[in-house]
Amino acid sequence: MNVIESLKERNILELIEKAGKITLKKHGDMISLERAVFLSWWCERGDCAFCYMSTQKPRIKDPSMARRNVNAILAEAEICRRIGWNIEFLSGGYGSFSGMEIKSIAERIRDITDAPVWLNTGITSELEIYGSEVAGITGALEVARPELQRRLCPSKPREDIISMLEKADELGFRKGITIILGLGETPEDLTHLFGFIRDLKIDRVTFYALNPHEGTPFENQPQPSTLYYAGTVAATRIEFPELEIITGTWIDNLGSIGPLVLGGANGITKFPLFKMFGTAYGRRVEDEVHWAGRRLSGTFTDLERLMNGRSYPELDPFIERYVEGCLKNLKLL
């Protein structure tokens, strides 16, 4: 099957059916809930055409004020551990935290969750400082076609991302990339994506659908269609049966979860966890996975798991604040 031609011909159901069979055979029926943990809302580069941080850079006079409290970050990790969510990666704009600070945070999160973390903290040459607290390094490629990537992400050279991932491979880290659909790419651009995955021996791809942010050139651009999104994921799954695929969607597009799971996703991400836990939106996520014939490893609705966990004196006030936020949402049911 030529998956790119199938996508161009809109043979989406055929792609999804084949990808679903491959996924069940290679990965089983378990779907993870993933959460990117943000370190800061500041990015010193801040010129990616689609990014929310590009709209915030002119407004932030003191970048240190955009850094999150580290104890709040660690408390978020404990909440995720309680309800069975994976930390997809630590994420933050360029220049928000130093490499050694990120290492320290990763070590603490590993101790809390009993698992090393992925990093998505920008292009860096400091990979040697990391050890067993880090599972993998993510390159925010965003767009596979080189000329489009240069135009939309002028301060994130593709060549530098490649060099970082090659170094990550030398050091024994797993390697991942992020891709955003809806930025002007075409099905033919999968040729570039597939080549990148093969050449760099990529272990994990996180796909996102464009989330149009006010103040960016894409603010009036619609999100990509669910079937195009699912077809792209399915084509990638067929081409790379062993690849870990995470797919991101937002609260206004929960209906895409079922097709994405059927099309080969191993996990789903991008949710506002503390606004959705215990709400009809959270139940909808669980229902989407259920009716796709898959099992969910985490929960959006198990209050007992949310309430019971480990206690850390310095983190407990932040943990309690997160729990209270979730309990407040329960009143909406």
Side-chain angles (χ1 to χ4, degrees), residues 254-276:
L254 299 180
S256 67
I257 292 172
L260 292 170
V261 167
L262 290 173
N266 301 109
I268 49 179
T269 189
K270 204 63 177 174
F271 301 113
L273 170 59
F274 304 116
K275 294 181 180 179
M276 288 178 62

Side-chain angles (χ1 to χ4, degrees), residues 93-272:
Y94 286 82
S96 56
F97 281 81
S98 71
M100 291 306 297
E101 287 175 317
I102 293 170
K103 177 181 174 67
S104 176
I105 293 169
E107 289 173 340
R108 293 289 306 279
I109 290 179
R110 177 199 56 193
D111 293 342
I112 290 169
T113 64
D114 303 317
V117 299
W118 282 74
L119 301 183
N120 182 18
T121 51
I123 301 167
T124 178
S125 59
E126 293 186 298
L127 295 183
E128 291 91 346
I129 69 175
Y130 300 116
S132 61
E133 73 282 354
V134 170
I137 304 298
T138 304
L141 184 63
E142 318 296 32
V143 184
R145 190 189 341 146
E147 60 270 25
L148 184 60
Q149 194 268 349
R150 284 193 294 270
R151 177 160 57 87
L152 297 181
C153 306
S155 294
K156 295 196 299 190
R158 178 187 177 96
E159 296 76 16
D160 291 351
I161 294 173
I162 291 172
S163 295
M164 180 182 70
L165 293 174
E166 289 175 337
K167 184 65 174 180
D169 188 63
E170 293 173 8
L171 295 171
F173 296 117
R174 297 179 69 201
K175 304 172 296 299
I177 56 173
T178 58
I179 294 290
I180 301 173
L181 300 180
L183 295 177
E185 77 288 342
T186 67
E188 287 88 351
D189 289 348
L190 284 177
T191 301
H192 300 290
L193 176 61
F194 293 169
F196 196 97
I197 294 171
R198 287 196 188 93
D199 293 345
L200 276 296
K201 298 181 177 62
I202 296 299
D203 300 292
R204 183 172 81 172
V205 175
T206 298
F207 286 102
Y208 298 114
L210 170 68
N211 186 18
H213 290 294
E214 184 178 355
T216 71
F218 290 92
E219 64 179 330
N220 296 315
Q221 180 77 16
Q223 296 182 7
S225 88
T226 293
L227 290 178
Y228 164 69
Y229 189 0
T232 300
V233 169
T236 306
R237 166 60 67 221
I238 293 167
E239 199 75 6
F240 300 96
E242 305 290 343
L243 184 69
E244 182 181 1
I245 298 177
I246 308 298
T247 55
T249 190
W250 200 245
I251 195 169
D252 61 352
N253 203 14
L254 299 180
S256 67
I257 292 172
L260 292 170
V261 167
L262 290 173
N266 301 109
I268 49 179
T269 189
K270 204 63 177 174
F271 301 113

Side-chain angles (χ1 to χ4, degrees), residues 1 6 10-19 234 238:
M1 173 188 282
S6 292
R10 298 188 294 277
N11 295 324
I12 307 301
L13 296 182
E14 181 182 356
L15 287 168
I16 288 175
E17 182 179 11
K18 184 170 183 178
I238 293 167

